[in-house]
Structure formats: structure tokens, C-alpha cells
Amino acid sequence: MIRLLALLVSGVLTASLAWAESFDPSSAYRAVLDAVVHERHHAVVGLAETFLATHPQIDHAPQVRLWLSMSLGHLRRRAEALKALDRLKHQLDRDDPLWPDVLFWEGELSRKIAQRLRAKLVWTQLLEQFPESAWVPQTHMGLGLVYL
């Protein structure tokens, strides 16, 4: 019985590894994007984690990591979401266009788990470094909520 179970698990792992090696990054990215657009947050998490595990250095990885973080936040897994954002921040170049999005969502997640100081700091950074960002009005609103 144990031997049969071991063979079954081995076969599943081998099949999973073969699938991961044949994983097409462009179709996988489209699948994650489709799940994001349709707000299927559980699907985003699974698809994004697979995408990032198989193609961590691909150009779309930072965007996918941001979507992963946002979906974790929507699923109220906010500590995990902040960890994903922290990993993303270490991977981004200083001039990456994702910075305003990352800072806004870091502030929003921090506010929701009562890390008000962190929220204030990142939102202030967003306002100082990206005063033309589309996130500025919502950042002001978020800061207002933090200061209540």
C-alpha cells in the first residue's frame, strides 16, 4: 500500500514537473491577466504563484507579483500580500513605472492591518516621488483615514 502511494505521488510530481517545464509564459501571463480582470482572486493567486515559480526572471514577473499581492489583499491574506510587495520592491529598478502602484498598495494594505506608521511613510513617499501619479487623490484620502 505504501509503495503504491509512493509510486502515485512520484508519478504526479513527475507529471507536474513536466508540465512546468513546458509552461508557456505568454499564455500563462494571459491566464493571470484574465483572472485579474474578472476579479477571480483565488485563481490569480494560484496562477501567479505558478507563473513566478516557473518564470521568475521574465519581464512580466513584477506585474504578476503585484497582482498576486493585490489578490492576496482582497482575500484578506494581508500579511502575505505585504511580504509579496516587499519581495517586489527589492526586485524593481528605481525607474520602474510600477513604483506608484506598489507604494499605493503597500500603504493600503498597511492601513488595513493597522500599521498606520508604515502606511503614512509609504504614502508620503508616493506623494513626494510621484506627484503626478494617478494614485495621488486616493493616497490623500488614505492619509486622511490614517490620521483620523
Side-chain angles (χ1 to χ4, degrees):
M1 180 70 161
I2 293 174
R3 185 173 181 199
L4 179 61
L5 182 60
L7 287 172
L8 180 62
V9 169
S10 173
V12 168
L13 290 176
T14 302
S16 296
L17 289 173
W19 175 80
E21 289 171 358
S22 67
F23 193 62
D24 174 26
S26 62
S27 64
Y29 180 79
R30 285 191 302 274
V32 177
L33 176 60
D34 182 67
V36 168
V37 168
H38 292 97
E39 297 184 9
R40 296 188 330 257
H41 302 296
H42 288 284
V44 171
V45 170
L47 291 166
E49 287 174 342
T50 301
F51 181 92
L52 294 167
T54 54
H55 300 290
Q57 301 303 321
I58 199 163
D59 289 342
H60 298 304
Q63 181 65 60
V64 171
R65 192 170 300 284
L66 178 61
W67 290 335
L68 170 62
S69 177
M70 292 168 62
S71 289
L72 287 168
H74 285 293
L75 295 171
R76 297 181 182 204
R77 294 166 56 185
R78 295 180 181 126
E80 291 175 73
L82 282 171
K83 286 180 185 176
L85 280 179
D86 287 339
R87 283 191 298 274
L88 176 56
K89 287 169 62 176
H90 291 293
Q91 296 171 350
L92 289 180
D93 294 329
R94 292 222 180 260
D95 60 343
D96 195 294
L98 282 180
W99 272 109
D101 299 341
V102 170
L103 293 173
F104 176 78
W105 286 107
E106 182 180 0
E108 185 66 11
L109 290 166
S110 298
R111 182 187 65 80
K112 287 182 177 182
I113 61 170
Q115 289 187 9
R116 291 187 171 134
L117 179 59
R118 182 174 179 172
K120 289 178 194 177
L121 292 172
V122 296
W123 278 338
T124 300
Q125 180 183 356
L126 189 154
L127 293 173
E128 290 173 355
Q129 293 181 352
F130 306 100
E132 302 300 318
S133 168
W135 291 114
V136 167
Q138 288 158 304
T139 299
H140 284 294
M141 187 170 60
L143 281 169
L145 293 171
V146 168
Y147 283 110
L148 283 178

